[in-house]
Amino acid sequence: MRGKFITFEGIDGAGKSSHVDWLAECLRQRGLSVLVTREPGGTPLGEKLRDLLLHEPMHLETETLLMFAARREHLAQVIEPALARGQWVVCDRFSDATWAYQGGGRGLDKAKFLALEQWVLEGLQPDLTLLFDLPLEVARERIVLANRSLDRFEQERADFHERVRQAYLDRAQHFAHRIRLIDANQSLEVIRKILDAILQETIKSN
Ligand code: TMP
């Protein structure tokens, strides 16, 4: 039986990445085979593109095309084969991030996004997307506290991140059947309980 495809999304500083490995471990404890991966990245070529995307200034459409180029490779080499083998794939960011960052944040023409998505995804969408949402000020505070060098996206101004957040929220309304909104401004324990309940539902619906 084909595996399920779970993605994690949210603005920078929403804390989603700290839940990725935990959720994968929960699935493994239930006897499922799980592959954890991320975007941009997930393949040797994708990781090289990630380095460029996070640090090299470039035109918005170049940025979008490289995100989708990395995604094409990721789908062909990693995601599709794993799902076909029956593995569950847990991916830290996917196409919703392009919608939110390049579309919402930078104003990419929606028609161009949709054309690329149709070309590259060929109809594939995650079975479940966990969208971690929290006020911008809280997310910013977390990034400052982490005290590390910031990438090109993290360095963007507050209004950029506000547009990214809004684009994610709009998308969650549009794809309510697969995107679950998580209030990330709660303790780790509370968030894990919520995630656990969502996982149980997803496993049952298998
Ligand atoms: P990460 O810090 O969650 O690993 O993500 C790296 C950055 O890449 C993050 O700031 C969001 C950005 N990004 C996009 O702008 N578009 C995309 O399609 C993806 C996957 C990530």
Side-chain angles (χ1 to χ4, degrees):
M1 195 166 35
R2 200 174 150 85
K4 293 225 174 192
F5 184 27
I6 302 179
T7 59
F8 279 65
E9 298 284 357
I11 57 171
D12 293 283
K16 65 185 169 45
S17 301
S18 56
H19 299 287
V20 170
D21 289 329
W22 177 84
L23 185 125
E25 200 42 47
C26 285
L27 291 169
R28 288 190 187 106
Q29 280 172 10
R30 290 172 163 102
L32 296 161
S33 171
V34 185
L35 186 138
V36 177
T37 186
R38 69 170 178 181
E39 289 206 353
T43 62
L45 175 64
E47 291 296 326
K48 285 187 186 159
L49 292 174
R50 178 186 176 92
D51 196 40
L52 287 173
L53 281 160
L54 264 50
H55 303 292
E56 198 72 36
M58 63 184 78
H59 187 279
L60 160 62
E61 292 188 358
T62 310
E63 182 178 287
T64 308
L65 289 163
L66 287 181
M67 288 290 179
F68 272 108
R71 185 161 299 134
R72 178 65 262 169
E73 191 69 10
H74 196 200
L75 280 163
Q77 304 293 341
V78 177
I79 298 176
E80 278 291 358
L83 293 173
R85 280 195 299 270
Q87 280 190 295
W88 284 45
V89 174
V90 177
C91 190
D92 193 345
R93 295 196 189 281
F94 191 60
S95 206
D96 295 323
T98 316
W99 171 269
Y101 280 80
Q102 281 65 51
R106 300 216 200 279
L108 175 78
D109 178 0
K110 302 274 183 289
K112 289 184 178 168
F113 168 84
L114 291 173
L116 282 168
E117 194 180 54
Q118 196 178 17
W119 180 13
V120 170
L121 270 56
E122 294 178 331
L124 178 87
Q125 283 292 342
D127 296 291
L128 170 69
T129 296
L130 300 163
L131 173 57
F132 289 74
D133 180 62
L134 83 176
L136 209 61
E137 313 77 67
V138 185
R140 287 278 95 186
E141 206 176 287
R142 287 186 185 175
I143 291 174
V144 171
L145 280 176
N147 196 24
R148 51 179 174 74
S149 60
L150 303 182
D151 63 42
R152 258 180 357 104
F153 297 99
E154 291 167 327
Q155 283 170 21
E156 286 288 346
R157 289 169 18 181
D159 58 329
F160 170 88
H161 291 283
E162 201 55 79
R163 289 195 300 277
V164 171
R165 183 184 183 201
Q166 199 49 56
Y168 267 133
L169 293 173
D170 293 346
R171 192 127 164 116
Q173 275 203 333
H174 193 74
F175 292 105
H177 61 284
R178 72 166 169 90
I179 303 183
R180 300 291 295 260
L181 194 61
I182 315 276
D183 174 3
N185 202 9
Q186 306 181 86
S187 71
L188 205 70
E189 294 71 39
V190 172
I191 293 176
R192 287 185 174 174
K193 270 194 191 137
I194 295 169
L195 293 180
D196 196 54
I198 295 174
L199 267 195
Q200 290 195 29
E201 269 176 46
T202 310
I203 291 169
K204 268 194 210 137
S205 72
N206 205 4

